[in-house]
């Protein structure tokens, strides 16, 4: 939604910035928010980070937030390494790469105790149109799979089929991955 770039621009911490996300709706939101604040130095594009042409030696920093890096390898084997290689080429010498990763230790601990699968549910706040949120979570070979089901507060409609697949990197695995690409 552009929150990081917008906040950095508002604080005067960057001259220009480009945000990308595969979701058109998030990019539209970021563009509108940025325009409302008069932040003409920011650019937002709906692009697939795995398919976009990354320019050579252009950026001082690349920041991948909200744990998004954990999705790439589960989408396409080898994509995390390929993306890191592209990012390394597009960073200026001495550039900064920031990866925000969530190791989900509480879920991993629950799975260690409960076994292969955990099923959780929670009642959502009264102002949420969905009353219940059900989760089925598994961890297999470092991939956390989270199947989600929502039950509508009024109609009882069931919204299922939402699934997240995240690669949970250990510190050692991440260090090795970064080292193999030259970071």
């Amino acid at each position: 939604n552009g929150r990081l770039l917008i906040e950095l621009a508002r604080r005067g911490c960057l001259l220009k910035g480009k945000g990308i996300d595969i979701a058109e709706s998030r990019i539209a939101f970021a563009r509108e928010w940025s325009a409302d604040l008069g932040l003409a130095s920011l650019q937002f594009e709906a692009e697939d980070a795995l398919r976009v042409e990354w320019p050579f030696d252009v950026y001082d920093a690349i920041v991948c937030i909200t744990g998004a890096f954990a999705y790439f390898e589960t989408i396409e084997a080898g994509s995390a390494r390929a993306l890191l290689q592209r990012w390394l080429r597009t960073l200026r010498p001495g550039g900064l790469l920031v990866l925000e990763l969530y190791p989900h230790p509480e879920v991993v601990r629950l799975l260690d105790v409960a076994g292969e699968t955990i099923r959780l549910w929670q009642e959502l706040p009264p102002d949420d149109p969905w009353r219940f949120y059900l989760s089925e979570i598994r961890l297999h070979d470092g991939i956390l799979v989270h199947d989600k089901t929502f039950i509508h507060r009024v109609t009882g409609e069931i919204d299922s089929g939402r699934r997240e697949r995240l690669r949970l990197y250990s510190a050692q695995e991440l260090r090795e991955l970064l080292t193999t690409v030259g970071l």
Side-chain angles (χ1 to χ4, degrees), residues 19 26 29 42 56 62 66 72 85 97 99 104 106 112 121 127-128 136 138 156 167 169:
R26 297 183 70 79
F29 179 88
L42 301 181
F56 181 75
I62 295 176
T66 64
F72 292 112
Q85 289 170 327
L97 173 64
L99 299 176
H104 299 283
E106 69 289 344
D112 284 345
W121 74 274
D127 60 337
D128 194 305
E136 182 174 300
R138 300 174 299 289
R167 174 76 174 121
Y169 294 96

Side-chain angles (χ1 to χ4, degrees), residues 87-151:
W87 286 347
L88 179 60
R89 287 191 306 266
T90 202
L91 280 171
R92 289 189 175 122
L96 176 68
L97 173 64
V98 177
L99 299 176
E100 179 184 36
L101 296 171
Y102 304 138
H104 299 283
E106 69 289 344
V107 173
V108 172
R109 279 194 302 273
L110 274 172
L111 286 165
D112 284 345
V113 171
E116 292 181 12
T117 302
I118 54 175
R119 291 178 183 91
L120 308 168
W121 74 274
Q122 64 181 340
E123 188 163 4
L124 298 170
D127 60 337
D128 194 305
W130 300 97
R131 181 167 184 189
F132 297 110
Y133 172 40
L134 309 152
S135 296
E136 182 174 300
I137 304 170
R138 300 174 299 289
L139 181 62
H140 181 69
D141 292 333
I143 306 294
L144 185 74
V145 179
H146 182 183
D147 292 310
K148 303 174 180 185
T149 301
F150 295 86
I151 300 174

